[in-house]
Amino acid sequence: MSPLDQLMNILGKLPGLGPRSARRMVLHLLKRREGLMLPLVEALQNAAMNVKTCNICGNLGGSDPCEVCSDQRRDRSLICVVEDVADLWALERSHAFRGLYHVLGGTLSALEGIRPADLRIDQLLDRLRGGEVKEVILALNATVEGQTTAHYVAEKLEETGVSLSKLAHGLPVGGELDYLDDGTLTAALKARR
Amino acid sequence: MSPLDQLMNILGKLPGLGPRSARRMVLHLLKRREGLMLPLVEALQNAAMNVKTCNICGNLGGSDPCEVCSDQRRDRSLICVVEDVADLWALERSHAFRGLYHVLGGTLSALEGIRPADLRIDQLLDRLRGGEVKEVILALNATVEGQTTAHYVAEKLEETGVSLSKLAHGLPVGGELDYLDDGTLTAALKARR
C-alpha cells in the first residue's frame, strides 16, 4: 500500500471520519507538513508516552493520581460515578461539581460481552471502605445500558451504607417542550416541584 | 499546556474537526495506543517523508513523476486541468478519464490574494509547448472563483492553439429535478440534446 493509502486507511478508522473526510484531512496535512503534520506527530507521541490513567478514579491526564484526585480543595465525601472519561470532562467543564469522580470505563452489555468484572466496580467498593465517602452520585447516561449499569452498581453499593443519588431527568435548560421526547416530558412532569 | 490539551488543540485545527470531535478522537486514540495511535504516528511520519508532489502535473503520490504521468497507456494528447489534488483523485475514482492532469493548486482570489503567479499556469503553458497535447479540458469547480479562473486560463491558452473544452452542466445522474437549484436547471435546459 502507498504511504498515502496507508495514512487515509488509518485516519478512516477514527471516530467520525469516513473515507472522504480522511482524504480531505490527508491533503490538508500534506500541504502543511512543517506547520501542522510534524507538530501533530510530536503531540501524538508525547500524549502516547505521557498521558496516564489515574489509579484512583480512572481519569486520563498528565499525572497519577490525576489533577482532580490530588486537588485537596475538592470535597472528598462525594464521589460522582460516570461511564467514561468524556463524561468526567463534561462535568468538569460545567464547574457544577466539586467532589471526586469514579470512571467505570463503560456499561454492562450482554451483547458486547461486557461483564461487571470488566468495569471498575470493585475499585469503587474499595474506595468506599475508608469511610470518608458519604454520598455517591450515579451520573450514568440515560440510555438502557447506562440505566442497567446504574441499577447494578446501586445494588452493589447498598451494603456499604453510603447514600446514593442519581442525576435528575427533565427539561434541558434552554430547551423547548415541543422538541422533547415523551419519556423526558413524562419524567419532567413527575419530578415537578 | 498538558500533553492532552496540546493534542486536542492540534487535532481541532484539522478540517471538519471541532473541540468536541477532537476530544472524542483523543480518547479513542488513548484507549488504543498500540493498535491505533502508534500506527497513526508511523503512517504520518512515513507520508510526511515519502509523499512527493509530481513536478509535471502537481499530483501527490509515492513517486515523481506521479503514477498517472508515468503511465504509458494514458492518452498524452489530452490534459484535464483541475483546481486541487482532491479533484484529480475524484476523476480517477470515476475511471471516466484516461488522459493526463494538471493541478492548478487553487483558484484566483482577490480576497485571499491569490494571483495568477501563485497558480501552476506557466507550467501548464510549458507542457503545451511540446505540441503533443491536442485538447485541454477545464474541469474547475462551478463556483464563482472556479469559473473566473477557468476564464483566465482559457484566455492564456488561446495563443497556443490547442482546443479547449469545459465540463457540461446539467442534472446529476440519479438526481431529482425537485432538489436542483435554478442555475443548474437553466443550464440543463439550455444544453438539452
Side-chain angles (χ1 to χ4, degrees), chain A residues 99-127:
Chain A
L100 303 179
Y101 293 96
H102 193 83
V103 178
L104 288 180
T107 47
L108 298 176
S109 165
L111 213 65
E112 295 179 36
I114 300 174
R115 292 155 305 134
D118 298 320
L119 304 181
R120 300 177 68 255
I121 297 175
D122 286 340
Q123 286 93 323
L124 176 60
L125 290 168
D126 280 346
R127 287 178 77 181

Side-chain angles (χ1 to χ4, degrees), chain A residues 48-104:
Chain A
M49 278 194 304
N50 295 321
V51 172
K52 297 174 183 72
T53 303
C54 175
N55 260 317
I56 302 174
C57 74
N59 188 12
L60 288 168
S63 58
D64 173 25
C66 72
E67 275 182 38
V68 178
C69 286
S70 51
D71 182 348
Q72 292 304 325
R73 289 164 306 175
R74 306 206 50 137
D75 184 351
R76 291 175 177 273
S77 69
L78 207 55
I79 288 185
C80 181
V81 176
V82 292
E83 282 176 31
D84 210 350
V85 174
D87 302 328
L88 189 164
W89 291 354
L91 281 161
E92 279 300 282
R93 280 197 304 280
S94 76
H95 298 289
F97 180 69
R98 298 298 301 162
L100 303 179
Y101 293 96
H102 193 83
V103 178
L104 288 180

Side-chain angles (χ1 to χ4, degrees), chain B residues 92-114:
Chain B
E92 279 299 282
R93 279 197 305 280
S94 76
H95 298 289
F97 181 69
R98 299 298 300 163
L100 303 179
Y101 294 96
H102 194 83
V103 179
L104 288 180
T107 47
L108 297 176
S109 165
L111 212 66
E112 296 179 36
I114 300 175

